[in-house]
Amino acid sequence: MSVSYFETGNQQLRTGKFEDAIVTYEKAIQENSQSPWCYYNLGEAFFQQGHLDNAIAAYQKAINLNPNSPWFYDRLGSVKMQVGHSKEAISCFQKAITLDASFYEFYTNLGMALTQEGNISEAISYFHKALELQPNQGEIYYNLGQAFTQQHQAQEAIAAYHQALQINPYWSECYLELAKLQQQLGQADQALKNYHRACQLNPNLIEAYQNLRAILEQQEQWQEIIKLSRRCCQVNANSSESYYYLGTALIHQQEWQEAIIAWRRACELNPNFTEAYQQLGKALAQQNEWEEAVTVYRRSVELNPDSVESQQGLAQALVQVYNWEEAITVYRQACHLEPTSAELYDELAQALAQFYQWEEAIATYRQALELNPTNHSTIQFRLQQILDKQHQFEEAIASYRRTQEFNPDSFESYQNLGQTLRQQGALENAIVALRRACILNPGSPVAYHLLGHTFAMLQKWDEAISCYRRACEIYPHSPDIHLHWGEALEQKENYQDALAYFQKAINLKPDFDLAYEAMGRVISKKKIANLDPQSVMNNSQ
């Protein structure tokens, strides 16, 4: 019966049914516990399943039952070497050679174990003994080449790899190792040729692609890198790094849109790929795609909050979409991370000035100047401009105080001052006053509404929309705020959204004549905008 189990196990082993083979061999051993081949084949099944400790135990049992089999020692040594027990592996291979000195593979395996142990000179001698027994075995030359490489005998290693390739000219890993050596020796042309050959033979050999790209980058052969990177993306469609490097190569050829597509794909494949998000953000900024740049930089900052580059990129993108408050917050964080950067303080001061926070802008410009920037005169000029405006604002406060009570800690005082300055046509000073009111009372929808309306008077529609949005967040039941928001969107020719806000105003106040008038006006504009140029021309004739 044990013979039957053994033969069944062998059949299962040959057909890849390794779990079944393990069960069957264990049954065979129960019937005949003295069969070394049952244990040996059980070890093979365990090995194929990746259960290396169990495989070692089974091989050892086979040796205990038949200590005169060189094959058992060789197999045990191979697995010992695989788990990193090179000294024990060396003993096994030496025992195999003692039992049978005529088989080249025992010498090859012993050489590999000695190489793993760092005993390179002795390893080389055993590889030569293997070649004496089997001179046409390419694997021996390959292992000899690796040993020479560790011994820093580059020319001997190259010769060994060439010998291996004469025997097997389709060996991709051998071309890779040969090319790596040639690259180290500065033989770029030969290395390129062999890296290309390795990639052709094995499109999944990522290291060959990476090393080939490194040489091409040194030679600034960007078109070749693009071709190579596209091939990598085809071969490894789920590799985020392949798409990342494709985007990097495309940028050098100023192919921005394709680079953006490549980096987007890299981020999709690996949502934690910080460098890909940074590069995508830069490309989007270069193409003025600011809304997406904000989203991308936000993710970059989430992944690496200590990255000054990401913080600065996010702040710059926020400025471009007129989100001044958040931009200022992000710039402050960047300055905290890099307190010696005059550039960051300069950009923060500019954002504060655009946000009409002149006092803090003045202090920040002065911080930038203390850091000895290269553009000292430019920053000094900007500082002087804000000082002049701040002086004018202080004069406005002084004039207001002559007729009205004014408390510098009261948002109502600044709000009333802002309304008075608006009526006087001093719109910039009105904005400063109303901005101060918003800071002192960030929950006041009136202050934000007045501030937005003042920006609208200056035709600063994005800033106006930002203020109306904040006012609606605080108090969503005002038909007037929705009307003014819609009017600002109308000026931006965003007719669809404008109509939506006019409708909200009407929903809040069904008899709101101004909202109905605005809706009719925008519907007419929308119809004209949807006409094709030829229709417009015909209507004008």
Side-chain angles (χ1 to χ4, degrees), residues 149 352 443 452 481 507:
T149 299
L352 289 162
I481 298 174
N507 292 343

Side-chain angles (χ1 to χ4, degrees), residues 357-369:
Q357 289 185 224
W358 288 341
E359 288 184 5
E360 191 176 352
I362 290 167
T364 306
Y365 275 133
R366 285 175 173 157
Q367 281 181 285
L369 290 170

Side-chain angles (χ1 to χ4, degrees), residues 70-98:
W71 304 103
F72 292 177
Y73 283 102
D74 179 72
R75 195 72 184 107
L76 177 60
S78 296
V79 182
K80 289 276 190 181
M81 187 165 58
Q82 190 166 331
V83 298
H85 298 164
S86 53
K87 287 184 179 179
E88 296 175 24
I90 289 168
S91 297
C92 290
F93 295 133
Q94 288 173 336
K95 184 64 175 177
I97 291 170
T98 300

Side-chain angles (χ1 to χ4, degrees), residues 119-309:
N119 191 344
I120 308 301
S121 297
E122 192 175 354
I124 290 171
S125 69
Y126 278 102
F127 288 136
H128 281 302
K129 289 180 180 178
L131 286 170
E132 290 174 7
L133 293 168
Q134 183 59 269
N136 294 318
Q137 180 56 249
E139 184 182 355
I140 304 173
Y141 283 106
Y142 178 81
N143 289 319
L144 183 59
Q146 291 192 309
F148 278 131
T149 299
Q150 288 195 38
Q151 193 86 317
H152 304 292
Q153 294 177 254
Q155 295 302 331
E156 290 83 350
I158 288 173
Y161 288 135
H162 277 302
Q163 285 287 102
L165 290 170
Q166 283 184 2
I167 296 167
N168 180 4
Y170 304 104
W171 195 347
S172 59
E173 289 82 1
C174 195
Y175 282 105
L176 170 62
E177 295 302 323
L178 174 58
K180 285 161 64 175
L181 269 178
Q182 291 168 331
Q183 184 178 0
Q184 291 173 14
L185 295 173
Q187 300 171 4
D189 291 340
Q190 295 95 319
L192 277 174
K193 176 183 175 182
N194 287 312
Y195 280 134
H196 274 298
R197 184 66 174 143
C199 293
Q200 290 169 353
L201 290 168
N202 184 357
N204 294 310
L205 202 57
I206 302 301
E207 187 179 1
Y209 282 108
Q210 291 173 338
N211 293 351
L212 177 55
R213 184 180 58 250
I215 295 177
L216 293 170
E217 284 177 355
Q218 290 175 354
Q219 298 179 350
E220 298 185 355
Q221 295 189 40
W222 301 112
Q223 285 296 348
E224 284 297 313
I225 295 173
I226 290 171
K227 291 178 185 176
L228 177 71
S229 299
R230 290 193 195 283
R231 201 179 311 137
C232 283
C233 292
Q234 291 172 351
V235 172
N236 302 286
N238 294 319
S239 167
S240 59
E241 286 192 357
S242 295
Y243 285 97
Y244 175 81
Y245 288 119
L246 173 58
T248 303
L250 288 163
I251 285 300
H252 283 88
Q253 296 301 101
Q254 303 298 305
E255 296 182 34
W256 292 96
Q257 287 302 324
E258 284 197 60
I260 287 170
I261 292 169
W263 281 326
R264 280 179 184 146
R265 183 61 180 151
C267 294
E268 288 171 6
L269 290 167
N270 182 0
N272 298 318
F273 199 162
T274 306
E275 293 82 359
Y277 280 100
Q278 284 183 341
Q279 295 303 322
L280 177 56
K282 287 180 186 178
L284 291 165
Q286 200 281 336
Q287 293 298 101
N288 296 320
E289 297 182 31
W290 295 109
E291 293 287 352
E292 187 180 353
V294 168
T295 302
V296 168
Y297 273 125
R298 281 195 207 283
R299 179 59 180 158
S300 182
V301 169
E302 285 177 13
L303 292 170
N304 186 5
D306 294 330
S307 168
V308 176
E309 184 179 4

Side-chain angles (χ1 to χ4, degrees), residues 413-432:
S413 290
Y414 280 103
Q415 186 170 290
N416 294 334
L417 172 61
Q419 288 179 297
T420 299
L421 292 169
R422 279 181 59 195
Q423 293 166 3
Q424 295 172 356
L427 298 182
E428 274 212 334
N429 282 336
I431 288 172
V432 177

